[in-house]
Amino acid sequence: MADLQRLAIASEQIDRQKVVLTIEQQHYLRRVLRLGVGERFIVMDGEGKWWLAKLTPDIFGKTELTAVLEQEILIQNELSIELTLISALPKGNNFDEVVRQSTELGVTHILPVISSRTLLKPSSQKLRRWEKIASEAAEQSERQVVPKIRETVEYSVALSLFENQNFSTNCHKYICVARNNYPLLLDNLLDNQKLESIIIATGPEGGWTNGEIEAAIASGFQAVSLGKRILRAVTAPLVALSLVAAVLERRKA
């Protein structure tokens, strides 16, 4: 089934064994993927389930096409823990790539934040765009879960959100800091054998301010380094998440 196309849908689109396709999804299947009636593809609900589906005409006439679920597909491509990225928004449209590549690497939650040095103030339409990018990236990377993207908040609000939640003792929170003598993130990950969830914060162009670093540490985050080189705001999340994914995949293997 590796050669079959994949389509991410909302779980509420499933009605018994039928998938109610949106106009946009019908166009995507017919015009972009070039699937014809009777052809099969994979449906994923973004919450962990996959099905083999067949494209069929809608006998009730509500839409042109629908899909029939033929069988559930058992697959496990997800990382073994929940992985949350707190990312200060980079300039321009660069956060699009952060969302896309973070999804490919296995992140489960993304929280964009506005820090002291953030230049971008996103519009409300940005969230819908990022959700669409995450959905497309989950399809492409054969994930079972589409990451949840939260509304953009101020940095201080983000810290309070995670400070007040009742995390287990095996939840590890890291803030990545450049130009420092903090321990390497990789070393810390390798030293922690029991990881149930991870939260990683990466900063904006110019990095976190000293006050932001101190506030994170006071909220239970551990300051870590990604290495001696200075990484761009769009590169740091990918490096951090790649390290986490590599460690978790190695343990799983």
Side-chain angles (χ1 to χ4, degrees), residues 189-224:
L189 294 171
L190 292 173
D191 289 341
N192 289 314
Q193 294 300 313
K194 293 183 179 180
L195 294 171
E196 293 181 0
S197 61
I198 292 177
I199 301 164
I200 291 183
T202 59
E205 280 87 356
W208 303 112
T209 65
N210 290 334
E212 288 168 338
I213 297 168
E214 292 168 1
I217 293 173
S219 297
F221 283 75
Q222 180 174 349
V224 293

Side-chain angles (χ1 to χ4, degrees), residues 24 99 127-137 149:
E24 183 182 31
V99 171
L127 178 59
R128 290 190 290 273
R129 174 177 173 80
W130 294 332
E131 288 173 339
K132 186 174 186 295
I133 290 172
S135 180
E136 292 171 350
I149 305 179

Side-chain angles (χ1 to χ4, degrees), residues 32-46:
V32 179
L33 300 183
R34 301 293 183 183
L35 295 183
V37 170
E39 292 193 83
R40 290 171 172 81
F41 61 101
I42 293 172
V43 165
M44 44 187 288
D45 68 356

Side-chain angles (χ1 to χ4, degrees), residues 31 44 66 70 72 76 115 145 151 191 193 204:
R31 307 301 180 190
M44 44 187 288
T66 187
E70 295 190 328
E72 187 172 347
Q76 179 50 262
S115 68
V145 174
E151 293 276 2
D191 289 341
Q193 294 300 313

Side-chain angles (χ1 to χ4, degrees), residues 92-249:
N93 291 321
N94 286 331
F95 197 68
D96 291 6
E97 283 306 305
V98 172
V99 171
R100 181 176 289 107
Q101 296 178 47
S102 297
T103 300
E104 293 176 18
L105 289 167
V107 74
T108 51
H109 297 82
I110 300 174
L111 176 57
V113 299
I114 298 173
S115 68
S116 298
R117 293 172 175 156
T118 297
L119 301 177
L120 177 68
K121 299 296 189 293
S123 65
S124 58
Q125 287 78 21
K126 283 288 187 179
L127 178 59
R128 290 190 290 273
R129 174 177 173 80
W130 294 332
E131 288 173 339
K132 186 174 186 295
I133 290 172
S135 180
E136 292 171 350
E139 293 172 5
Q140 178 273 320
S141 57
E142 299 189 6
R143 289 195 57 183
Q144 297 149 265
V145 174
V146 177
K148 305 296 183 186
I149 305 179
R150 299 196 186 193
E151 293 276 2
T152 302
V153 297
E154 296 286 339
Y155 175 76
S156 59
V157 174
L159 292 183
S160 66
L161 288 174
F162 292 102
E163 184 180 35
N164 294 335
Q165 290 187 23
N166 184 26
F167 288 113
S168 72
T169 56
N170 292 325
C171 171
H172 294 266
K173 301 188 288 186
Y174 301 103
I175 181 168
C176 300
V177 185
R179 296 187 179 93
N180 65 82
N181 293 315
Y182 293 119
L184 291 170
L185 172 62
L186 178 58
D187 288 342
N188 198 285
L189 294 171
L190 292 173
D191 289 341
N192 289 314
Q193 294 300 313
K194 293 183 179 180
L195 294 171
E196 293 181 0
S197 61
I198 292 177
I199 301 164
I200 291 183
T202 59
E205 280 87 356
W208 303 112
T209 65
N210 290 334
E212 288 168 338
I213 297 168
E214 292 168 1
I217 293 173
S219 297
F221 283 75
Q222 180 174 349
V224 293
S225 169
L226 296 177
K228 296 297 183 182
R229 291 150 303 284
I230 305 304
L231 305 177
R232 296 175 62 221
V234 294
T235 308
L238 309 183
V239 172
L241 296 176
S242 294
L243 291 172
V244 174
V247 170
L248 293 175
E249 297 281 13

